[in-house]
Amino acid sequence: MATIQIRDIPDEEYEALRAAASAEGKSLQSYMREQTGFLARVARKRSVFERVRAELADRDEPGVTTESVVSDLDDIRGRWPEDEDASHRGR
């Protein structure tokens, strides 16, 4: 496992972190380990979203549209009864 040392944390921020850890019945080290895990998950998700956005930006396709979503939903669940009634009336 890696070790992180953080220097020059303002006193009021340190006290806020210490109080938060205490309120959860944890040591500051345990609390900070939990918080860094959360930050790492957020960073990983952000990285994935950025890669997807970059890939989509490189495409010539318009991407997801309202029409494409409705069409895909119709393919999965079938058409809405109102749509079928309208198509029957047109015959």
Side-chain angles (χ1 to χ4, degrees), residues 28-41:
L28 182 57
Q29 180 177 340
S30 174
Y31 180 79
M32 293 306 297
R33 186 180 308 116
E34 184 180 279
Q35 294 303 308
T36 56
F38 171 77
L39 291 172
R41 289 188 299 276

Side-chain angles (χ1 to χ4, degrees), residues 8 19 25 30-31 33 42 44 59 67 89-90:
D8 302 323
S30 174
Y31 180 79
R33 186 180 308 116
V42 168
R44 280 192 297 269
R59 294 183 178 185
E67 292 78 19
R89 280 183 250 148

